[in-house]
Amino acid sequence: GAGVSQSPSNKVTEKGKDVELRCDPISGHTALYWYRQRLGQGLEFLIYFQGNSAPDKSGLPSDRFSAERTGESVSTLTIQRTQQEDSAVYLCASSPGGRSRRNEQYFGPGTRLTVT
Amino acid sequence: DQQVKQNSPSLSVQEGRISILNCDYTNSMFDYFLWYKKYPAEGPTFLISISSIKDKNEDGRFTVFLNKSAKHLSLHIVPSQPGDSAVYFCAAKVVGSNYKLTFGKGTLLTVNP
């Protein structure tokens, strides 16, 4: 079956521009996550969506970052007025949300963002 | 403040031998630990996990050991295969949270034929 997909795979943008990253989770997965991986670092949690509950935005690094999810489908991560320190791979993951498998997150290939 | 630490950025082993990847943590509220494997240009894939109530979990060639008193876990791969060459991430979850994972920086494993 189809896994988590993300687009674009690569994005180069100028400092100060806005960017929008897209994630298509696995069909039927109620939970969706965004992470950021800077060069040489581990994955940083950004935001979590679970069904119709209020998202956990505690990992968003600044108010320039926002994310939306429509129901249990596509999510978009928006970064406004991009800065060079935003350069990273942005990873999306989804999970079934059921208790027995709540920790098995399935990752997409990521979007490599480069801010020049 | 790095709560999950993978102090070896890289590890090289011969095919057929054992690979041991280590992970240390500082947060005593972690109750569940996971290992993910990542190939270049792909997202991480779940490999194996262990609950804090256990000290060992085995799945085929992969075994994870947890030493709670030392706040240390390790992933053993026996026998190692060239296809195991990847970056391995250790991750941990705080008790009461069913989703927020804290990741280490990863260890690049190279298995030489």
Side-chain angles (χ1 to χ4, degrees), chain A residues 3 7 13 31 51 54 65-66 69 73 76 78-79 82 90-91 100-101 111:
Chain A
S7 61
T13 190
F65 288 72
S66 62
R69 187 183 187 195
S73 61
T76 55
T78 302
I79 309 173
T82 51
Y90 289 82
L91 290 153
S100 64
R101 302 183 64 187
T111 294

Side-chain angles (χ1 to χ4, degrees), chain B residues 1-18:
Chain B
D1 178 29
Q2 193 94 46
Q3 296 186 55
V4 177
K5 300 177 185 179
Q6 294 178 256
N7 293 319
S8 297
S10 64
L11 174 68
S12 183
V13 300
Q14 285 299 119
E15 181 178 6
R17 306 295 287 268
I18 184 171

Side-chain angles (χ1 to χ4, degrees), chain B residues 1-101:
Chain B
D1 178 29
Q2 193 94 46
Q3 296 186 55
V4 177
K5 300 177 185 179
Q6 294 178 256
N7 293 319
S8 297
S10 64
L11 174 68
S12 183
V13 300
Q14 285 299 119
E15 181 178 6
R17 306 295 287 268
I18 184 171
S19 294
I20 300 176
L21 297 118
N22 293 304
C23 178
D24 296 291
Y25 61 95
T26 58
N27 191 339
S28 57
M29 298 299 287
F30 287 145
D31 71 338
Y32 200 83
F33 304 88
L34 306 90
W35 284 94
Y36 281 80
K37 179 169 74 172
K38 184 182 184 301
Y39 293 119
E42 295 184 12
T45 55
F46 170 77
L47 191 58
I48 193 170
S49 62
I50 188 166
S51 166
S52 61
I53 63 173
K54 295 186 176 181
D55 54 20
K56 177 182 174 181
N57 188 26
E58 191 171 351
D59 183 2
R61 296 185 298 113
F62 302 91
T63 303
V64 56
F65 295 92
L66 175 62
N67 181 335
K68 286 194 295 293
S69 60
K71 293 191 175 66
H72 176 84
L73 64 155
S74 60
L75 174 68
H76 292 211
I77 307 173
V78 181
S80 301
Q81 300 173 353
D84 296 329
S85 297
V87 176
Y88 288 78
F89 290 99
C90 172
K93 181 187 73 64
V94 170
V95 62
S97 169
N98 65 347
Y99 58 86
K100 192 178 290 186
L101 297 179

Side-chain angles (χ1 to χ4, degrees), chain A residues 26-48:
Chain A
I26 293 173
S27 177
H29 280 192
T30 59
L32 186 145
Y33 317 74
W34 282 98
Y35 291 87
R36 174 172 74 175
Q37 186 183 15
R38 295 181 183 177
L39 189 65
Q41 303 296 313
L43 280 68
E44 294 175 69
F45 168 83
L46 296 178
I47 188 168
Y48 163 75

